[in-house]
Amino acid sequence: MSNLLEGKTALVLGVANKWSLAYSIADAFRREGARVLLTYQGERQQATVEALGAELGAARVLACDVTQDQELERLVETLRAEDDRLDAVVHSIAFANKEDLTRPFVETSRSGFLLAHEVSAYSLVSVARATAPLMAGGGSIITLTYLGATRVITNYNVMGVAKAALESAMRYLAGELGATGIRVNAISAGPIKTASARAIKEFSSVLDFVAQRAPLRRNTEPAEVADAAVFLASDLGRGVTGNILFVDAGFQIVGL
Ligand code: NAP
């Protein structure tokens, strides 16, 4: 491809390791000429994400635990102080307690339900609110979702309900922020082996099932998700907002 993101700055939240979808997205953004900023959650992850940032040629690596409003405020203050504008923000963040991804959904605790929704869905709203003022003249906000938002996927449980909230939040944000030229979209990725995915019980059997049944008869590659994010962040996606773009080898159309 040819510098589709030249002159653009992208903030990518959710790089934990090389297998993170956010890592592939940051890598593709760099390839397309973007200036990339990364975040990490907590001191425990700082050195790891700084090292990954060096590999990716990230311009900055900043702290941001999305459950801490003051960290999001500090991140925005830091960018504003440096006169940084943002053209794209990638929200690639989710979390649920492991026990809520293994026991029956009906046994989900109140605290587990709220935690999954706070980290995985509300954070899109708080990130959009904090970063929209840095996107004067327009920009692109991209989040990552999964088919479990609208279909019952065994063991996905509370995360499916949180993804439904995330997708709805994406549409409401697109409806409001469109007036300022900010587009908000979600990529619904097929299952990919990452740290978060491994928390889901019997995840490898999901990969096997999809590889047999998806129209493309294979699983999704992280690079395919990343290239879709490039499209949404670039001017090629200028007419697209409030959309869920499936990058899943076509699995979402399959019935019996
Ligand atoms: P991942 O590498 O584990 O990424 C999840 C990220 O969320 C990690 O960087 C994690 O940071 C971060 N995070 C969790 N709590 C946070 C908090 N309070 N503040 C800031 N960051 C926090 O797994 P992934 O598969 O790439 O997931 C990225 C996104 O893609 C998620 O929204 C996921 O639901 C979605 N998705 C994944 C798949 C799949 O099959 N892999 C399919 C569809 C959609 P720490 O590790 O430091 O906690």
Side-chain angles (χ1 to χ4, degrees):
M1 298 200 206
S2 51
N3 287 336
L4 288 169
L5 302 177
E6 191 75 56
K8 293 192 190 289
T9 297
L11 176 67
V12 180
L13 301 101
V15 173
N17 52 54
K18 279 191 168 196
W19 294 274
S20 296
L21 298 184
Y23 181 94
S24 297
I25 293 170
D27 197 23
F29 279 17
R30 273 300 295 166
R31 179 196 74 210
E32 295 299 332
R35 185 169 164 267
V36 173
L37 318 175
L38 301 182
T39 63
Y40 59 88
Q41 184 208 173
E43 280 176 23
R44 151 186 85 78
Q45 275 290 87
Q46 181 173 0
T48 307
V49 181
E50 280 176 352
L52 295 169
E55 265 179 47
L56 289 165
R60 306 188 66 116
V61 179
L62 301 153
C64 187
D65 178 335
V66 292
T67 63
Q68 306 296 318
D69 286 341
Q70 60 289 12
E71 285 201 13
L72 204 44
E73 281 159 23
R74 209 173 308 134
L75 169 89
V76 168
E77 272 163 28
T78 307
L79 297 180
R80 197 173 273 136
E82 307 260 321
D83 255 352
D84 260 334
R85 66 158 273 117
L86 294 177
D87 300 283
V89 174
V90 177
H91 171 276
S92 186
I93 287 173
F95 184 78
N97 286 327
K98 194 157 181 169
E99 63 264 29
D100 287 326
L101 302 174
T102 48
R103 63 187 173 192
F105 173 69
V106 73
E107 288 174 22
T108 306
S109 66
R110 184 188 304 265
S111 62
F113 188 97
L114 294 176
L115 176 68
H117 282 70
E118 178 182 16
V119 176
S120 316
Y122 177 71
S123 62
L124 179 68
V125 182
S126 57
V127 166
R129 184 171 58 244
T131 57
L134 297 172
M135 291 192 265
S140 173
I141 300 176
I142 301 160
T143 189
L144 275 294
T145 188
Y146 180 56
L147 187 64
T150 51
R151 309 273 177 89
V152 175
I153 308 279
T154 309
N155 296 324
Y156 201 61
N157 296 4
V158 71
M159 190 51 79
V161 184
K163 290 298 190 194
L166 176 75
E167 291 180 2
S168 185
M170 177 277 290
R171 285 187 284 271
Y172 275 91
L173 290 167
E176 277 183 14
L177 298 177
T180 58
I182 298 173
R183 298 180 289 110
V184 190
N185 292 285
I187 296 172
S188 187
I192 295 172
K193 204 176 252 184
T194 63
S196 290
R198 276 198 294 263
I200 296 156
K201 196 171 138 197
E202 293 161 9
F203 181 73
S204 26
S205 61
V206 174
L207 290 176
D208 293 344
F209 187 81
V210 169
Q212 286 165 21
R213 301 291 303 276
L216 296 181
R217 302 293 193 276
R218 61 171 177 80
N219 276 291
T220 303
E221 298 288 334
E224 296 168 341
V225 175
D227 285 345
V230 167
F231 161 72
L232 289 172
S234 77
D235 294 343
L236 294 181
R238 64 194 177 280
V240 182
T241 195
N243 201 47
I244 297 173
L245 176 55
F246 283 87
V247 182
D248 67 343
F251 186 78
Q252 94 285 353
I253 64 166
V254 173
L256 279 179

